[in-house]
Amino acid sequence: MHVEDGWDTTVGVAKLFWGVTESRHLVDIINQTDLLEEIDQEQKLGQPMINLNLTRDYGTFSLFVLPYFREQRYENRQGRLRFALPIDTDQAHYDSARGARHTDVAVRWYHNQGNWDIGLAHFRGTSREAAFDFDLNNPAEPTLVPRYDMINQTGLEIQYTADAWLLKLETITRAGHGDRFTAVTTGVEYTLFDIMKSGADLGLISEYNYDGRDVNPTVAPPVPYDSDLFFALRLSMNDTHSSSVLAGILQDMAGGATFVNVEASRRFAQDWTVELQGRFFMDAAPDDFVFYGYHQDSYAQLRL
């Protein structure tokens, strides 16, 4: 990284985050999602890049040149959590003749003005999400083959802060996966500060997800967010142990599936942290391409 007055540049591998909503990060497109680590799309792979940022009074302008693409990683036949059909990543193919070597480009403007945080970005290049072709060479054991299409995506993120309220919006429009489609995640977060003078804060989150893409996984990458409601509680104890709890429920209004997620952590001693995580998948229909693959994979785990 090199920093000067009014501009900076980065050459190398980096992780960035764009977005404001909790249940889904629509506009966060630079880095590949690491589905082997977590299915919540929070874990990312580093992205090789050349990045230039120009900082002005009216916002920060960013240019990204991305010379190499990293494919999504999936669980194998014995792994959890996995799709209903096995995925053959060895046969993955690309819309671009240059494959993973295609140079992708993104530009972004971001500005914080008073109570407003606004970001506007455009990406042109290899989709970070894979669509799937069916390999029926062995009819007794069909497999899915990832296909990475070329896309153009424009994304907008807005957050407005009003005392204890956060009003949030992320929306994209994308071309390259069948017909151009729009997706939206929007909602509110309200924080109760210093509950009963305990020092703890409780955040109440409500969001709605809509995605207008083609539901055929051979046309567009499958997602569970076609029309979903999300509710969550975020408790921060603000103590010396960094104790916190996040519990949320995602309800598919179209297909009926329910996903419950619980995360809690607390540090003890000086170098130890105990973490509790539970993920529960319920009422997924056989035609639910994403959640039905997980319908027997609910779990809870405790780790240090």
Side-chain angles (χ1 to χ4, degrees):
M1 173 179 281
H2 182 77
V3 180
E4 294 286 348
D5 185 22
W7 66 276
D8 64 82
T9 185
T10 298
V11 179
V13 178
K15 292 183 182 181
L16 307 175
F17 174 74
W18 300 347
V20 294
T21 54
E22 183 70 32
S23 56
R24 189 183 186 192
H25 307 308
L26 276 171
V27 302
D28 191 27
I29 195 172
I30 293 294
N31 293 91
Q32 179 62 273
T33 301
D34 190 352
L35 296 177
L36 280 185
E37 287 295 322
E38 297 286 356
I39 64 165
D40 59 8
Q41 301 185 349
E42 298 289 344
Q43 303 300 317
K44 299 290 183 175
L45 301 177
Q47 171 63 50
M49 68 174 64
I50 302 171
N51 168 222
L52 172 65
N53 300 308
L54 301 176
T55 303
R56 300 292 183 265
D57 292 339
Y58 41 86
T60 299
F61 296 86
S62 301
L63 170 66
F64 301 88
V65 179
L66 313 172
Y68 184 75
F69 173 78
R70 301 184 67 179
E71 296 179 2
Q72 283 190 324
R73 306 189 300 170
Y74 303 94
E75 289 289 356
N76 58 29
R77 289 173 172 82
Q78 290 75 41
R80 300 175 59 200
L81 305 158
R82 62 183 182 272
F83 279 24
L85 293 176
I87 299 174
D88 187 353
T89 56
D90 292 336
Q91 294 192 63
H93 55 285
Y94 293 81
D95 194 5
S96 169
R98 290 183 56 81
R101 298 288 180 180
H102 181 273
T103 299
D104 303 334
V105 178
V107 292
R108 184 178 188 243
W109 168 76
Y110 176 81
H111 189 46
N112 171 266
Q113 179 66 46
N115 295 339
W116 294 90
D117 293 276
I118 304 174
L120 179 65
H122 184 78
F123 171 89
R124 181 185 183 279
T126 305
S127 171
R128 272 47 187 162
E129 301 172 308
F132 294 98
D133 296 325
F134 288 92
D135 184 350
L136 302 177
N137 289 329
N138 182 1
E141 191 175 353
T143 59
L144 300 172
V145 178
R147 187 189 74 245
Y148 296 97
D149 296 322
M150 296 295 296
I151 64 169
N152 279 278
Q153 174 176 307
T154 301
L156 173 68
E157 59 189 283
I158 300 175
Q159 178 171 283
Y160 179 75
T161 304
D163 296 324
W165 290 91
L166 296 176
L167 282 65
K168 306 179 182 184
L169 169 71
E170 291 188 34
T171 183
I172 64 167
T173 177
R174 181 188 297 177
H177 290 137
D179 295 335
R180 176 179 285 275
F181 68 87
T182 298
V184 178
T185 299
T186 186
V188 298
E189 180 173 351
Y190 180 75
T191 301
L192 300 167
F193 295 103
D194 194 18
I195 302 172
M196 299 179 66
K197 300 189 182 301
S198 65
D201 300 332
L202 179 64
L204 310 175
I205 304 167
S206 175
E207 294 179 351
Y208 174 70
N209 288 275
Y210 166 78
D211 198 303
R213 73 184 65 193
D214 196 308
V215 297
N216 185 340
T218 66
V219 176
V223 294
Y225 302 102
D226 49 352
S227 179
D228 294 45
L229 288 174
F230 174 76
F231 302 99
L233 302 175
R234 177 168 31 224
L235 177 65
S236 299
M237 298 303 296
N238 298 320
D239 57 8
T240 57
H241 302 287
S242 301
S243 306
S244 64
V245 178
L246 174 64
I249 180 170
L250 182 73
Q251 180 63 51
D252 185 347
M253 305 302 292
T258 302
F259 171 55
V260 177
N261 182 60
V262 179
E263 301 174 6
S265 66
R266 179 179 173 86
R267 191 180 69 247
F268 64 95
Q270 185 172 356
D271 301 314
W272 293 88
T273 299
V274 60
E275 297 179 344
L276 172 67
Q277 183 181 80
R279 292 207 165 106
F280 308 95
F281 306 91
M282 296 169 283
D283 302 325
D287 61 352
D288 188 324
F289 191 87
V290 177
F291 277 145
Y292 189 72
Y294 304 149
H295 76 287
Q296 293 182 320
D297 286 341
S298 296
Y299 71 92
Q301 67 178 12
L302 186 69
R303 60 190 177 192
L304 294 175

